[in-house]
Amino acid sequence: MQGVVYKSTGSWYHVKAENGQFYQCRIKGKFRIQGIKSTNPVAVGDVVRFDVEDGEEETGVIKKIIERENYIIRKSVNLSKQTHIIASNVDQVFLLITLNNPPTLTTFIDRFLVTAEAYAITAVLLFNKVDTYSIEELAEVKYLAELYRGAGYECIGISAKEGKNVDKVKDKMIGKTSMISGHSGTGKSTLINAIEPTLDLKTSEISRQHSQGQHTTTFAEMFDLQFDARIIDTPGIKGFGVVDMEKEEIGDYFPEFFQLKQHCKFHNCLHLNEPKCAVKDALEEGEIAWSRYKSYLQIMEGEDENYRVDQYQK
């Protein structure tokens, strides 16, 4: 049989077959796909072939993973050699960003966007909790949104709790499989509940002591929505280490760098110390955000441990 993985709990996979029935499936032995060494060989969104076990009506064994169209993968910051596929076969990702409670730093945003670009997945930035900000904080959100719009990304200010602009997000989801990501406490489950109240996902309060969210989602899970859409809820992630990128290609995953690349003196310019570099010239003229360039340098240097340094505030 063939189906789509809707949930992974580490050892069992909830697979929705083509007939609409769900099966609890597992894998036997080691599963290696295209040389990807991942903590989870089978990911939510994977299309798989499986055999129904003899004598068991609702359990099966996954035999094959159909080639993925794309996937979002990250390197664990604490276990730098381990990678984790968050989801596969995704049409678009929504990254929830909060200015505080908890703070989302530009270094994290940029690493996420670079990975989405590398795997050709459309990314939309959702600036959540706009109903809670002061005038000064709203101005800061507006500045960040303009910064990322300037880099080519769609940005929407929302309040998942109050329902502000939730319809805009909903309209973008029709006919697509969308993934929602961000730190714990940014409002992922609240947004999904606002989009589809019947799901009634668990939400939690922010830890006042650390201004961080409490994990409410342990495993990624996909849900069918009532308006021809699918949504993947993901666990809150602290860090986002990029995986398997050659230094020569990293600049291509910054859209505003890529547009200027043809004007650099050298076709293989790394935008570091080369003469007549169009990217460095644009940086000097204020046409490229310093925070974006600093993130680029950190990724080039492999500085995964500094993902929580806020270059924007600097």
Side-chain angles (χ1 to χ4, degrees), residues 105-107 298 305-312 314:
L105 308 184
T106 52
T107 43
Q298 283 193 1
E305 68 276 9
N306 288 333
Y307 73 96
R308 301 190 86 163
V309 178
D310 192 352
Q311 302 303 333
Y312 162 65
K314 279 189 172 183

Side-chain angles (χ1 to χ4, degrees), residues 59-70:
T59 64
V61 178
I62 293 172
K63 296 291 187 181
K64 183 180 180 182
I65 298 173
I66 306 302
E67 186 176 352
R68 295 164 173 151
E69 290 182 18
N70 58 41

Side-chain angles (χ1 to χ4, degrees), residues 15-26:
V15 179
K16 184 179 182 181
E18 291 174 319
N19 62 8
Q21 182 178 341
F22 277 91
Y23 292 83
Q24 297 273 34
C25 295
R26 52 200 172 89

Side-chain angles (χ1 to χ4, degrees), residues 6 237 247 314:
Y6 269 60
I237 46 181
K247 287 191 174 184
K314 279 189 172 183

